[in-house]
């Protein structure tokens, strides 16, 4: 916007006594003095400009109530800003402010103040004068302390202090008794003041990533707290008073040195929900009684390296120094597990489970399922062969074991020595602890190796953790069982015999032992959950028998159930063939060929020759992944995940695959030597299919710890469009530019300026929106792949004794999955239809949860609606009244906000819901805009102190307005069937869809 245009707008606005102006994104570098004429302004939006300073005339806008300077370059504020005494909202996020003027304290009517992403190192004492503040955001500044006066902000409800440098909180912090949400993560807090317990209205508290070593007993006074995040601290104990927090719904204690197994604390991926609050606290306080607990001294020692390096010899020598080496030591087929015991300095016995891994390349992909944390590693190198790729092996351990400690052991056969560049390797791998040498034939160096193992394995985090004595007793009973596997019911019986009677505890223990590698129990697999494999090596040996089979190799990885009968003909496998096949599929080692029942492919045995096909390279979407280090097996795992869409079930080879879905093709090729995967997509639904491909690859990437790679987007300038190898940009850097407001970038081929958003949008169909809600088109296609994959994965169970009955015919299954909600508008056709549906389902023994029946007298309506939003299945009867109802739309928005919207929603659209024409859908948006405007105008006539609850209402309306377009667009694309069709079929299609969802 030119200065002349700006002055013209100011002149007209002053003349017309305009109350609202929006100058966002206009490229403004300064505000002219004429701005001071706009004395009628109540709202001024200057978001996303380039303002570096403000003229004193800003102080003349004394009627301003809302002022937005977000995303500018302000380094200071003029003292005159203190004259804006009617301000209620001031947004100064994303500027360069290093201090605030004392006059800032004159803004006593401020209710919301946003100062995040600045350079503030301190706050002025005058901040305490802003006593009407309800929201204060100071995220990502440089605050090392807070002034005592902050305790005067007694009306604060939300305070965000994330990513600062706070090492302590002032004692008067406890005066902020109206705080409901407090964000303190990523600071340097080592303790909390006792008066912290006075914050009794707190509902949400984030203290993650600090240095807290303990919590004060007064912490237990926070009895209204619902969400408490304490991950990544130094907590080794919890106060007994924490049990007084009876309203806690989430408690995150992951990555603290607490005596609680990680399986109970929750998934290692911190983006997933933590474990159950009561289970966490019950376990912790149970193990506080030393008479009820026993330290656990057991760990894994994993020996890896190339085939023939001497791994088996080392394992046997550790267990028995007198073992005589064989001239031709038989190579390990898969994995062998050997026990070794040693006595600790405290006199306690320590059990080491030595895992000896086969070194042949065919085994490398499967090893990743057993390389785990809580372990010590040894990489064995044969000094005669000098064929060990130290970097590759150490990188594999780093990616798959969360940087567990590792030794390099040089096996100096015939005393032939070799040098290993330890300094260089340690510079790259901080977990490389020792480089040791041995001659296993003479036992030279063996004692030093055993001493090092004892020292480092005793230091592992879980070692010495007190466990319930009953757990240790059951563990000993399992160890003494000579069988390879037992049924889960047999496992439960064994637990009961040893006085472990709580079924949840039984599952916790099997999960803990699974993580330690003591046994295998896949609790979330519909087949494998029925058995506990007591000897993991038995299961892996069975798997490797298939991969090593001459017949299977000759058929380039193809095998049938008949082949498996021959491969697994011995008695130890005969009764477990279905489970072992499921184990192979669980490890992504094979898949069933669609259309060829009981015929399977192990993709790592496919031909290395590229399949023969033609490709139209016009108008392709192209994407590349390049890896700093590329682990083996990414592409074969991808093939297993996407196999339902392999073109003709023929266009697949070891290093590539062509997928075909809805007249759209995707070619995915791995070049391992160049550490690259290249994708190109052609056809009608290019972006959607590209999104599915990248989503599946990202899932594989995320299974590794700290995998380093780049996603490269091709340039779309006129020059590059015609090049076989266009210039490429890093997707990460493009997104970084967007976030910084830089919307163009230069092409290194043509030197043209290219639009950053178009670069991304041309290739990447953004699979997630801002609130992690799946894009509708992507969600539908991804859901189709998952459904086809699951059907192929589980159909063989339908003929076996483990078949799960469909939900409508199984009352016992219903007992575990009762949460089928219905969302609808009361009265009229909508309620009549719901009554009919309710009666039909009840006649089939299925109960749906509906507000009129299940909310109860004095039940909390909002809590019930939020419960619907979290439900696994929600039937939504969409009517015109529904789309205009705050409560109904709140429920729909809640379902969307909790993710998996497409999977969890089961819509039925009534005839009066006008969602199928664009003009009609726009009317709903207009309806909510008018609702917001009407409420906003009414609120202006009431004092701020009397608006408790109304702001939440307007926020709710705004959220509905912002999402209704996308939600109705998704609903119109679903084949929801008419109410008549549902009624006539006795709701069969609806019930089948719900059954599939509940079976997941």
């Amino acid at each position: 916007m030119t200065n002349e245009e700006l002055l013209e707008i100011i002149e007209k606005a002053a003349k017309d006594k305009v109350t609202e102006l929006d100058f966002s994104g206009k490229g403004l570098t300064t505000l002219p003095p004429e701005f001071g004429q706009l004395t009628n302004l109540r709202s001024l939006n200057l978001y996303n400009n380039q303002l570096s300073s403000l003229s004193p005339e800003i102080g003349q806008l004394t009627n301003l109530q809302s002022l937005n300077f977000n995303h500018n370059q302000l380094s200071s504020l003029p003292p005159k800003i203190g004259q804006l005494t009617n301000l209620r909202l001031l947004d100064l996020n994303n500027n360069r402010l290093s201090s605030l003027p004392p006059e800032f304290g004159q803004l006593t009517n401020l209710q919301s103040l946003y100062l995040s992403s600045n350079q503030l190192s301190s706050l002025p004492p005058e901040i305490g004068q802003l006593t009407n503040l309800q929201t204060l955001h100071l995220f990502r500044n440089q605050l090392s302390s807070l002034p005592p006066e902050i305790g005067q902000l007694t009306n604060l409800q939300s305070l965000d202090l994330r990513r600062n440098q706070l090492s302590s909180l002032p004692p008067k912090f406890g005066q902020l008794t109206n705080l409901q949400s407090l964000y303190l993560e990523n600071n340097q807090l080592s303790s909390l003041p006792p008066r912290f317990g006075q914050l009794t209205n707190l509902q949400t508290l984030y203290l993650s990533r600090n240095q807290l070593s303990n919590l004060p007993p007064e912490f237990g006074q926070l009895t209204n707290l619902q969400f408490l995040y304490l991950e990544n601290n130094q907590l080794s104990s919890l106060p007994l008073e924490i049990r007084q927090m009876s309203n806690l719904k989430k408690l995150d204690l992951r990555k603290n040195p607490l005596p609680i197994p990680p399986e109970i604390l929750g998934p290692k991926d911190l983006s997933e929900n933590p474990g159950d609050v009561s289970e966490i606290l019950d376990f912790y306080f149970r193990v506080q009684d030393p008479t009820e607990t026993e330290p656990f001294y057991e760990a894994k020692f994993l020996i890896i390296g190339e085939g023939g390096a001497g791994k088996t010899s080392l394992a046997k020598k550790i267990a028995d120094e007198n073992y005589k080496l064989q001239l031709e030591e038989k190579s390990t087929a898969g994995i062998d597990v050997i026990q070794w015991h040693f006595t600790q300095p405290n006199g306690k016995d320590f059990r080491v489970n030595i895992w000896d891994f086969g070194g042949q390349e065919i085994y490398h992909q499967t090893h990743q399922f057993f390389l785990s944390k809580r372990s010590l590693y040894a990489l064995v190198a044969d000094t005669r062969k000098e064929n060990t790729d130290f970097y590759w092996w150490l990188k594999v351990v780093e990616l798959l074991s969360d940087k567990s400690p590792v030794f390099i052991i040089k096996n100096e056969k015939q005393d032939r020595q070799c040098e290993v560049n330890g300094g260089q390797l340690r510079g790259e791998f901080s977990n490389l602890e020792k480089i040791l040498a041995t001659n296993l034939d003479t036992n030279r160096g063996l004692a030093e190796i055993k001493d090092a193992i004892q020292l480092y394995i005793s230091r592992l985090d879980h070692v010495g953790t007190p466990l319930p004595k009953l757990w240790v007793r059951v563990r000993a009973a399992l160890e003494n069982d000579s069988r390879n596997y037992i049924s889960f019911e047999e496992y439960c019986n064994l637990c009961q015999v040893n006085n472990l009677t709580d079924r949840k505890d039984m599952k916790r223990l099997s999960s803990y032992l699974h993580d330690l590698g003591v046994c295998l129990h896949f609790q979330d697999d519909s087949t494998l959950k029925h058995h506990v494999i007591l000897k993991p090596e038995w299961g892996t040996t069975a798997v490797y028998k298939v991969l090593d089979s001459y017949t299977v190799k000759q058929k380039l990885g193809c095998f049938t159930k008949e082949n498996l009968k021959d491969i697994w003909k011995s008695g130890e496998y005969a009764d477990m063939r279905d489970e072992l096949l499921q184990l192979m599929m669980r490890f992504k080692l094979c898949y069933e060929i669609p259309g060829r029942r009981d015929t399977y492919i192990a993709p790592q045995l496919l031909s290395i020759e590229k399949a023969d096909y033609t490709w139209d390279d016009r108008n392709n979407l192209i994407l590349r992944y390049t890896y700093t280090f590329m682990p083996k097996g990414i592409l074969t795992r991808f093939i297993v995940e996407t196999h339902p869409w392999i073109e003709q079930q023929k266009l697949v080879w070891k290093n590539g695959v062509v997928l075909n879905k809805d007249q759209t093709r995707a070619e995915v090729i791995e070049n391992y030597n160049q550490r690259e995967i290249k994708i190109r997509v052609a056809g009608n639904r290019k972006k959607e299919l590209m999104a599915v491909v990248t989503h599946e690859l990202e899932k594989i990437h995320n299974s590794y710890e700290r995998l380093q790679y780049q996603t490269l987007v091709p340039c779309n300038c006129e020059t590059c469009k015609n090049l076989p190898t266009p210039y490429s940009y890093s997707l990460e850097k493009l997104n970084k530019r967007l976030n910084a407001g830089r919307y163009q970038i230069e092409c290194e081929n043509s030197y043209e300026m290219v639009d950053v958003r178009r670069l991304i949008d041309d290739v990447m169909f953004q699979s997630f929106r801002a609130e992690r809600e799946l894009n509708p088109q992507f969600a539908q296609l991804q859901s189709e792949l998952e459904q086809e994959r699951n059907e192929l994965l589980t159909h063989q169970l339908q003929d076996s004794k483990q078949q799960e009955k469909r939900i409508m015919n199984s009352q016992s299954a219903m007992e575990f999955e009762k949460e089928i909600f219905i969302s609808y508008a009361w009265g009229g056709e909508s309620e009549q239809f719901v009554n009919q549906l309710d009666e039909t389902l009840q006649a089939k023994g299925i109960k749906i949860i509906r507000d009129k029946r299940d909310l109860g007298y004095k039940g909390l309506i909002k809590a019930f609606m939020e419960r619907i939003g979290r439900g696994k299945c929600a039937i939504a009867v969409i009517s015109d009244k529904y789309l205009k109802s705050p409560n109904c739309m709140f429920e729909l928005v809640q379902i969307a906000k909790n993710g998996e919207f497409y999977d969890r929603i089961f819509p039925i659209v009534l005839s009066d819901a006008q969602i199928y024409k664009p003009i009609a859908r726009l009317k709903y948006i207009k309806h909510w805009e008018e609702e917001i405007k009407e409420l906003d105008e009414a609120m202006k006539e009431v004092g701020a102190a009397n608006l408790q609850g109304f702001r939440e209402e307007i926020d709710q309306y705004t959220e509905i307005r912002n999402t209704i377009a996308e939600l109705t667009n998704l609903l119109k694309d679903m084949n929801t069937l008419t109410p008549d069709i549902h009624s006539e079929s006795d709701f069969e299609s609806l019930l089948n869809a719900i059954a599939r969802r509940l079976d997941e």
Side-chain angles (χ1 to χ4, degrees):
M1 177 180 286
T2 66
N3 194 52
E4 291 76 12
E5 291 172 329
L6 179 59
L7 290 174
E8 185 178 336
I9 292 173
I10 292 173
E11 183 180 353
K12 186 176 187 306
K15 181 180 177 181
D16 296 343
K17 298 183 179 181
V18 168
T19 59
E20 293 184 15
L21 276 178
D22 186 346
F23 289 106
S24 58
K26 301 299 184 184
L28 302 179
T29 56
T30 59
L31 296 182
E34 288 80 0
F35 244 96
Q37 301 170 18
L38 302 173
T39 53
N40 289 293
L41 275 184
R42 289 186 175 187
S43 174
L44 176 59
N45 186 357
L46 289 156
Y47 169 81
N48 194 24
N49 282 283
Q50 298 170 31
L51 301 171
S52 57
S53 62
L54 299 176
S55 58
E57 287 78 9
I58 192 76
Q60 298 172 24
L61 309 182
T62 53
N63 282 308
L64 271 180
Q65 295 181 15
S66 174
L67 180 55
N68 186 350
F69 285 114
N70 194 335
H71 270 285
N72 278 276
Q73 300 172 24
L74 298 174
S75 56
S76 62
L77 298 174
K80 295 285 188 182
I81 200 166
Q83 297 177 12
L84 305 181
T85 53
N86 282 306
L87 270 183
R88 296 180 182 179
L89 184 151
L90 176 57
D91 190 341
L92 288 158
N93 285 347
N94 296 288
N95 279 279
R96 299 175 179 175
L97 298 173
S98 57
S99 63
L100 300 175
E103 292 80 1
F104 206 78
Q106 297 169 22
L107 306 178
T108 53
N109 281 305
L110 267 184
Q111 296 174 7
S112 300
L113 175 58
Y114 300 96
L115 287 160
S116 297
S117 296
N118 278 281
Q119 300 168 20
L120 298 171
S121 57
S122 63
L123 298 176
E126 291 80 5
I127 194 82
Q129 297 171 23
L130 308 182
T131 53
N132 282 305
L133 266 187
Q134 296 177 21
T135 301
L136 175 58
H137 286 189
L138 288 155
F139 166 74
R140 196 184 276 135
N141 276 280
Q142 299 167 22
L143 300 172
S144 56
S145 63
L146 298 174
E149 290 81 3
I150 200 167
Q152 297 169 23
L153 305 181
T154 53
N155 283 305
L156 265 187
Q157 295 178 21
S158 176
L159 176 58
D160 189 343
L161 288 159
R162 292 173 294 162
R163 291 187 182 275
N164 279 281
Q165 300 165 23
L166 299 173
S167 56
S168 63
L169 299 176
K172 291 188 177 180
F173 198 84
Q175 296 175 11
L176 305 178
T177 53
N178 279 305
L179 268 183
Q180 296 178 21
S181 302
L182 176 57
Y183 304 87
L184 283 162
E185 66 257 46
N186 282 98
N187 277 282
Q188 299 168 21
L189 298 172
S190 56
S191 63
L192 299 175
R195 293 175 68 180
F196 197 87
Q198 296 174 13
L199 307 179
T200 52
N201 282 303
L202 267 184
Q203 297 177 24
T204 301
L205 175 57
Y206 283 82
L207 283 161
S208 312
R209 295 178 178 84
N210 278 280
Q211 299 168 22
L212 297 171
S213 56
N214 59 65
L215 301 175
E218 293 81 1
F219 207 74
Q221 297 169 20
L222 307 180
T223 53
N224 283 305
L225 204 59
Q226 298 180 36
F227 304 98
L228 175 56
Y229 297 90
L230 285 157
E231 66 268 25
N232 274 298
N233 276 281
Q234 301 298 318
L235 297 172
S236 57
S237 63
L238 300 174
L240 180 64
E241 291 78 5
I242 200 171
R243 304 209 80 164
Q244 297 169 16
M245 297 181 180
S246 56
N247 287 305
L248 265 188
K249 296 176 181 176
K250 282 188 183 177
L251 174 60
D252 201 336
L253 290 163
R254 289 171 287 187
K255 294 187 179 291
N256 279 280
L258 285 161
I260 307 174
E263 295 75 21
I264 292 176
L265 292 176
K268 68 176 181 179
D269 183 350
L270 296 181
S271 66
E272 297 184 33
N273 283 330
D276 181 83
V277 175
S278 60
E279 290 184 12
I280 292 170
L281 295 179
D282 286 349
F283 187 93
Y284 174 79
F285 287 106
R286 190 175 3 153
V287 299
Q288 295 311 297
D289 183 354
T291 64
E292 296 295 327
T293 61
E294 186 174 323
F296 191 65
Y297 296 112
E298 183 172 346
K300 286 168 71 174
F301 176 55
L302 301 100
I303 305 178
I304 57 175
E306 303 293 341
K311 298 185 296 299
T312 301
S313 299
L314 176 64
K316 292 181 176 178
K317 277 286 188 177
I318 290 171
D320 179 8
E321 293 183 12
N322 298 318
Y323 171 76
K324 296 295 182 185
L325 299 185
Q326 308 298 310
L327 289 176
E328 291 295 330
E329 192 79 57
K330 184 180 177 182
S331 294
T332 301
I335 299 170
D336 280 340
V337 180
I338 300 172
Q339 286 185 26
W340 172 47
H341 294 260
F342 66 84
T343 303
Q344 301 178 91
N346 62 7
K348 299 285 187 179
D349 179 70
F350 197 112
R351 169 175 166 167
V352 181
N353 300 310
I354 303 174
W355 287 55
D356 171 21
F357 284 79
Q360 293 85 341
E361 184 172 342
I362 189 67
Y363 303 137
H364 291 174
Q365 183 180 335
T366 51
H367 289 351
Q368 64 188 293
F369 300 102
F370 303 100
L371 301 187
S372 59
K373 55 185 180 179
R374 298 180 177 169
S375 305
L376 176 66
Y377 286 79
L379 168 56
V380 178
D382 184 342
T383 56
R384 296 176 308 166
K385 296 181 180 178
E386 298 185 2
N387 65 341
T388 302
D389 185 341
F390 292 101
Y391 181 87
W392 191 90
W393 283 105
L394 291 172
K395 199 69 181 175
V396 166
V397 172
E398 179 183 74
L399 289 177
L400 295 168
S401 71
D402 201 15
K403 286 196 169 184
S404 290
V406 60
F407 300 159
I408 289 177
I409 296 181
K410 299 186 292 182
N411 185 11
E412 297 179 342
K413 297 178 180 178
Q414 288 120 31
D415 286 329
R416 175 170 177 174
Q417 300 182 15
C418 80
E419 290 301 316
V420 175
N421 192 335
Q424 181 178 345
L425 289 173
R426 284 192 178 93
E428 177 77 22
F429 303 101
S430 59
N431 59 329
L432 176 56
E433 300 290 350
K434 291 273 187 180
I435 299 176
L436 304 167
T438 182
N439 182 331
L440 295 173
D441 191 38
T442 63
N443 286 357
R444 174 176 58 82
L446 183 61
E448 184 183 358
I449 289 171
K450 293 177 71 172
D451 287 345
I453 293 170
Q454 292 182 22
L455 176 64
Y456 279 88
I457 210 164
S458 299
R459 292 178 177 174
L460 293 175
D461 289 344
H462 74 280
V463 170
T465 298
L467 293 181
K469 282 187 176 180
L470 296 180
W471 282 32
V472 179
R473 188 185 302 172
V474 172
R475 168 69 189 99
L478 292 172
E479 180 183 353
N480 293 329
D481 196 311
S482 61
R483 290 173 291 180
N484 294 314
Y485 61 89
I486 57 176
S487 72
F488 181 66
E489 288 308 315
E490 288 176 308
Y491 164 76
C492 292
N493 291 337
L494 185 145
C495 289
Q496 288 176 339
V497 167
N498 287 279
N499 297 324
L500 184 62
T501 55
D502 185 280
R503 203 169 179 89
K504 283 186 178 179
D505 240 12
M506 296 175 189
K507 288 187 175 181
R508 291 187 199 122
L509 175 57
S510 71
S511 177
Y512 183 66
L513 297 177
H514 176 102
D515 194 60
L516 278 179
V518 171
C519 64
L520 296 179
H521 186 211
F522 298 96
Q523 295 185 14
D524 58 348
D525 188 284
S526 58
T527 302
L528 297 174
K529 69 181 181 182
H530 297 292
H531 287 85
V532 179
I533 298 175
L534 300 180
K535 294 178 173 52
E537 64 272 25
W538 167 84
T540 56
T541 300
V543 168
Y544 292 128
K545 281 183 177 291
V546 179
L547 300 181
D548 282 333
S549 165
Y550 177 78
T551 302
V552 177
K553 287 179 178 177
Q554 284 291 101
K555 293 182 178 179
L556 299 176
C558 185
F559 62 91
T560 66
K561 277 198 170 182
E562 286 300 314
N563 295 138
L564 293 179
K565 286 182 181 178
D566 183 56
I567 296 170
W568 292 331
K569 62 187 176 184
S570 66
E572 62 178 318
Y573 302 124
D575 293 335
M576 287 285 284
R577 290 185 191 130
D578 282 344
E579 287 75 12
L580 291 169
L581 176 58
Q582 189 77 1
L583 192 67
M584 290 188 69
M585 290 192 284
R586 173 86 185 198
F587 287 173
K588 313 300 180 189
L589 298 176
C590 69
Y591 62 87
E592 185 178 33
I593 302 174
R596 295 177 62 187
R597 188 156 181 154
D598 296 339
T599 303
Y600 302 82
I601 284 284
Q604 61 268 51
L605 296 175
L606 285 166
S607 170
I608 61 172
E609 295 296 323
K610 183 179 179 182
D612 185 22
Y613 58 94
T614 58
W615 187 273
D616 183 357
D617 57 7
R618 293 172 298 177
N619 299 317
N620 284 197
L621 295 188
I622 298 173
L623 201 67
R624 288 189 298 133
Y625 288 99
T626 60
Y627 301 81
T628 306
F629 169 80
M630 190 175 194
K632 294 175 182 176
I634 290 179
L635 203 279
T636 52
R637 287 173 66 183
F638 175 81
I639 290 170
V640 173
E641 295 287 23
T642 58
H643 74 270
W645 293 351
I646 294 174
E647 187 166 314
Q648 303 171 17
Q649 292 304 319
K650 292 180 180 177
L651 299 191
V652 59
W653 62 104
K654 189 174 183 179
N655 303 314
V657 64
V658 176
L659 308 178
N660 194 322
K661 176 67 174 173
D662 298 341
Q663 292 80 50
T664 309
R665 305 171 84 200
E667 177 192 70
V668 185
I669 296 177
E670 174 186 273
N671 187 324
Y672 188 79
N673 292 331
Q674 294 183 12
R675 302 192 300 277
E676 175 185 87
I677 289 178
K678 184 177 180 181
I679 308 160
R680 56 179 180 170
V681 185
N684 299 328
R685 303 180 70 185
K686 293 195 290 279
K687 284 189 180 181
E688 293 98 311
L689 187 54
M690 176 68 85
V692 172
V693 168
T694 55
H695 179 69
E696 293 297 332
L697 283 169
E698 291 297 330
K699 284 197 304 185
I700 296 169
H701 293 157
N702 292 337
S703 68
Y704 298 95
E705 300 278 352
R706 296 175 293 275
L707 181 64
Q708 295 178 332
Y709 62 93
Q710 283 195 87
T711 307
L712 298 178
V713 175
C715 183
N716 58 9
C717 75
E718 290 303 317
T719 301
C720 286
K721 280 181 180 178
N722 302 313
L723 295 177
T725 308
Y727 180 72
S728 293
Y729 306 91
S730 161
L731 179 61
E732 181 184 3
K733 291 181 179 177
L734 291 179
N735 282 321
K736 189 175 180 181
R737 291 182 75 87
L738 271 187
N739 293 334
R742 302 292 185 264
Y743 300 112
Q744 289 195 316
I745 191 171
E746 186 179 63
C747 170
E748 293 293 324
N749 280 338
S750 65
Y751 304 115
E752 294 179 34
M753 297 306 291
V754 184
D755 186 275
V756 173
R757 283 170 294 202
R758 275 198 56 208
L759 281 171
I760 298 172
D761 291 343
D762 276 1
V763 177
M764 300 297 293
F765 190 96
Q766 297 300 303
S767 52
F768 287 99
R769 298 287 169 95
E771 292 183 353
R772 303 298 291 168
E773 170 58 26
L774 282 176
N775 240 314
Q777 297 97 315
F778 165 75
Q780 181 181 353
L781 200 62
Q782 182 68 34
S783 179
E784 288 177 31
L785 174 62
E786 291 170 1
Q787 183 175 336
E788 292 179 43
R789 185 167 60 206
N790 291 339
E791 286 174 359
L792 289 164
L793 184 65
T794 60
H795 84 75
Q796 73 269 15
L797 305 181
Q798 295 168 4
D799 300 322
S800 69
K801 61 187 178 182
Q802 283 83 24
Q803 179 185 3
E804 302 277 348
K805 292 184 179 179
R806 292 175 66 185
I807 195 69
M808 282 72 69
N809 301 321
S810 173
Q811 186 62 36
S812 61
M814 283 301 301
E815 290 172 2
F816 294 101
E817 297 288 358
K818 294 180 180 177
E819 301 283 84
I820 303 174
F821 293 94
I822 190 157
S823 175
Y824 66 101
W826 286 11
E829 181 189 358
S830 181
E831 186 153 8
Q832 292 173 15
F833 182 79
V834 169
N835 290 338
Q836 180 191 355
L837 172 61
D838 196 1
E839 290 170 9
T840 304
L841 266 64
Q842 286 198 57
K844 295 176 179 287
I846 301 167
K847 180 188 175 186
I848 58 174
I849 299 174
R850 56 185 294 192
D851 45 15
K852 276 198 172 180
R853 178 176 56 227
D854 298 296
L855 179 58
Y857 174 61
K858 295 181 71 175
L860 297 176
I861 296 173
K862 186 173 181 182
F864 187 85
M865 293 191 296
E866 289 175 341
R867 184 180 165 200
I868 292 177
R870 295 190 299 269
K872 191 169 185 179
C873 294
I875 302 169
V877 181
I878 309 294
S879 62
D880 179 72
K881 187 176 181 181
Y882 186 104
L883 294 168
K884 294 176 179 176
S885 161
N887 284 352
C888 293
M889 287 304 298
F890 180 79
E891 291 171 359
L892 196 64
V893 170
Q894 287 298 308
I895 295 168
K897 286 176 70 175
N898 280 281
E900 297 181 327
F901 180 79
Y902 181 85
D903 293 328
R904 298 189 299 119
I905 192 82
F906 297 86
I908 300 168
V909 181
L910 301 186
S911 58
D912 66 344
Q914 302 297 307
I915 66 171
Y916 296 106
K917 292 183 179 180
I919 293 175
R921 292 202 305 278
L922 285 171
K923 289 180 181 177
Y924 290 117
I925 299 174
K926 188 176 180 181
H927 166 82
W928 287 105
E929 287 180 343
E930 290 172 351
E931 290 282 309
I932 293 166
K933 184 177 180 181
E934 184 179 353
L935 181 57
D936 187 43
E937 290 298 324
M939 287 170 60
K940 290 175 182 176
E941 299 173 5
V942 179
N946 300 314
L947 288 174
Q948 185 67 30
F950 288 94
R951 294 184 186 85
E952 288 78 4
E953 293 272 349
I954 205 165
D955 288 345
Q956 179 181 321
Y957 285 11
T958 304
E959 191 170 34
I960 293 170
R961 188 271 314 276
N962 292 342
T963 56
I964 191 170
E966 185 172 346
L967 294 175
T968 53
N969 186 54
L970 177 54
L971 290 170
K972 81 173 177 62
D973 279 344
M974 291 188 195
N975 182 15
T976 59
L977 303 183
T978 66
D980 289 343
I981 293 175
H982 280 296
S983 300
E984 290 167 7
S985 68
D986 231 13
F987 301 97
E988 181 181 1
S989 297
L990 175 65
L991 295 177
N992 286 338
I994 291 174
R996 286 194 295 271
R997 170 64 178 162
L998 294 179
D999 276 337
E1000 289 175 5

